[in-house]
Amino acid sequence: MSAASVAAPAEGAYPRGRNARIAVYAALAVLGLLTGAAGGLVQGAWFPLGLLLALAAAVGLFWGGAKLCRTKPGAAVPGAGWVVAVLLMTTSRAEGDFLFAAGLAGYVYLFGGMLAAVMCTTIALPAPPVPVHKNR
């Protein structure tokens, strides 16, 4: 056996099979939806700390997805779920009710979360090289 064939796998747990990646991306999208909805409620309820907690949860999810999958979609998929949840919460109803107040905290949460999603997607780590005889 050569040294290349017995080399330890690269660090990080990333899904190697296609079906596993699809399942992980689906789970990350659902987590993005939940994080966006929870953050939208928390950021307005406990003003400075709620905003920081909501943004920290979003950044943790985006960066965690990037580290788990070691791909750009690993950060972009939960970011897309987060954006969908937040945009659905910003629409007003026929009665004029909406969840985001027109204040500084709401705008910081909206733009800060989108900026964090873009940043985590941009700096996502590439997947480690795979030997030729192993297929992803």
Side-chain angles (χ1 to χ4, degrees):
M1 276 194 185
S2 67
S5 64
V6 255
E11 77 172 57
Y14 53 92
R16 295 176 190 256
R18 181 173 186 215
N19 292 336
R21 275 196 304 255
I22 291 172
V24 168
Y25 291 151
L28 286 173
V30 170
L31 285 174
L33 284 167
L34 293 174
T35 304
L41 298 174
V42 169
Q43 62 88 21
W46 305 319
F47 172 57
L49 296 178
L51 176 62
L52 293 175
L53 178 67
L55 285 174
V59 170
L61 177 65
F62 305 152
W63 186 246
K67 289 288 282 185
L68 174 70
C69 296
R70 299 187 66 84
T71 60
K72 292 187 184 301
V77 168
W82 182 90
V83 167
V84 167
V86 169
L87 289 180
L88 287 176
M89 293 175 71
T90 58
T91 59
S92 61
R93 295 176 35 197
E95 296 87 18
D97 298 336
F98 55 93
L99 292 174
F100 282 95
L104 181 64
Y107 291 122
V108 169
Y109 179 65
L110 289 171
F111 294 121
M114 285 188 264
L115 181 66
V118 169
M119 287 173 56
C120 289
T121 301
T122 303
I123 60 175
L125 302 171
V130 177
V132 175
H133 66 278
K134 299 219 181 215
N135 189 6
R136 279 193 177 186

